[in-house]
Amino acid sequence: MTMTPGTITGKELFWFNNTLVAIHVSSMAGEDGTCVVEHHMPYGDSPPLHVHRREDEVFHILEGRLRFQIDGHERIADAGETVIAPKGLPHTYRVESPEGARALTITRGSDFETMLRQASRPAEQPELPPLMEPTPEIIAALVQLCAKNGIDIVGPPLW
């Protein structure tokens, strides 16, 4: 999936696993720590089941379709829909649209943004990174970084 360059001009871009992340609003920009991140995700992308200890995670779907699992309940969300994963509840999603998906993720606090910055690498270009399977070492490092930032990995991705 190649992005429309106008949507991310001047944004910090990172490759987080197999996704492209653009930070639109850093948690450091305002007093309440609101963070807005744009995710570009390939078909089938799914983070492990996880719990945010200190912040809700709000997803606004811009393009594509995602299947969410929140506290054991599944729902489909299409472009234009907004979904909240309240803090303390296990959640994950899977990109169901063959063309991939694009979503805004909104959190309040620096946990999520800090983890993203620590676990990502600068994007070499404004498009998805080459697909790679995570190694056991990458998974272990991500679990550690998440735990350090108030996010607990509690299960596998959705397949």
Side-chain angles (χ1 to χ4, degrees), residues 42-103:
Y43 170 75
D45 186 65
S46 179
L49 186 67
H50 61 283
V51 174
H52 294 255
R53 286 183 250 140
R54 295 182 288 260
E55 55 191 10
D56 294 337
E57 190 171 17
V58 176
F59 302 89
H60 179 72
I61 315 308
L62 299 170
E63 295 175 358
R65 170 177 277 201
L66 291 130
R67 176 170 46 109
F68 286 89
Q69 183 183 85
I70 302 170
D71 199 27
H73 303 282
E74 285 199 13
R75 76 167 278 197
I76 299 290
D78 291 305
E81 294 186 71
T82 303
V83 174
I84 185 168
K87 68 181 171 186
L89 296 183
H91 62 279
T92 186
Y93 61 81
R94 183 177 188 278
V95 176
E96 298 292 344
S97 42
E99 68 280 5
R102 205 165 55 91

